[in-house]
Amino acid sequence: AARVFFGPGGNVSFPTDETEARVLLSLHPKIGPVRFARLLERFASASAALAAPREAWESLEGVGGSAAAIRRELAALGPALEKELAAVRRAGYRTLTGADADYPEAVRSLRDAPPVLYLWGTLRPRDQWAVALVGSRSASPYGRAVAERLARELAQAGVTVVSGLARGVDAAAHAGALSGGGRTVGVLGSGFSRFYPPENRRLAERMAENGAVVTEFP
């Protein structure tokens, strides 16, 4: 049964679990990182925001007259929430929110921090000591070789290499970090079910064993 539903007389039941509440809010197309942050500032938690009366939402900057419609639409997202949580469990991924201790601190400090991160693999405290290495998708053989060498040497020095798992320099950087016996983290621009580019899926599997792949997209 869905965790969010219209009950008898039109009453709405929202999730009280904080992670589920944050995932639900993130699934609404009109609740982006900034509006989500305003809800947390006002109500202290996502579950408290959902439990608050409509009038409290109406007085919130950036929500105002849209409050009633947004709350109705949230109530209708019960099946979508169930589907999302089931897919995450089935695939062995994790959801990370600002309520979790291992949500990355550098991301948490952003004004527009993603409400939810989907994680494949593991993040460790040492990953805060990281270098992002990115570049052209159509890099020359020399460019890819340099990226791989830099990443390998960084990994051997204990630095986590972060990139975007794209073709070209990004893929070379991840591969170099792995060849150096180190950790690497890939940040996807899509959800895991729409993995792009598809030929880097095998690389991502290796990364999940020696680092992580993360995305803010459901």
Side-chain angles (χ1 to χ4, degrees):
R3 288 175 171 81
V4 184
F5 56 90
F6 284 105
N11 293 325
V12 176
S13 173
F14 286 115
T16 56
D17 177 82
E18 183 63 15
T19 295
E20 292 180 7
R22 293 187 183 220
V23 174
L24 174 64
L25 289 172
S26 74
L27 292 176
H28 195 293
K30 294 178 183 177
I31 300 179
V34 173
R35 185 171 275 177
F36 179 84
R38 287 175 179 162
L39 286 168
L40 288 192
E41 288 171 2
R42 175 66 178 275
F43 301 108
S45 70
S47 54
L50 290 172
R54 185 193 65 199
E55 292 76 17
W57 282 53
E58 289 174 343
S59 64
L60 187 65
E61 180 185 359
V63 177
S66 303
I70 289 175
R71 288 172 65 83
R72 282 197 304 270
E73 290 156 0
L74 283 168
L77 283 175
L81 175 64
E82 279 294 316
K83 182 178 179 180
E84 183 70 10
L85 295 174
V88 169
R89 287 193 301 268
R90 185 168 56 249
Y93 304 140
R94 277 192 62 200
T95 55
L96 280 180
T97 75
D100 295 307
D102 50 350
Y103 187 95
E105 288 301 324
V107 180
R108 191 195 302 272
S109 65
L110 299 174
R111 168 66 178 172
D112 58 349
V116 179
L117 291 176
Y118 296 89
L119 175 68
W120 182 15
T122 57
L123 294 176
R124 297 180 180 172
R126 61 173 284 191
D127 294 331
Q128 295 184 55
W129 183 241
V131 167
L133 205 167
V134 297
S136 174
R137 288 170 171 78
S138 55
S140 66
Y142 173 74
R144 292 194 298 272
V146 169
E148 186 168 354
R149 176 174 61 81
L150 284 172
R152 182 173 60 252
E153 293 176 357
L154 285 165
Q156 289 170 341
V159 177
T160 297
V161 175
V162 181
S163 197
L165 252 173
R167 298 183 178 101
V169 165
D170 290 23
H174 292 305
L178 292 173
S179 71
R183 290 179 56 78
T184 184
V185 176
V187 182
L188 286 181
S190 62
F192 290 134
S193 63
R194 294 176 176 83
F195 198 92
Y196 184 85
E199 66 266 25
N200 283 351
R201 178 82 188 199
R202 181 63 61 86
L203 175 61
E205 291 172 357
R206 294 172 56 205
M207 292 167 59
E209 296 175 357
N210 299 277
V213 181
V214 344
T215 179
E216 63 183 277
F217 297 98

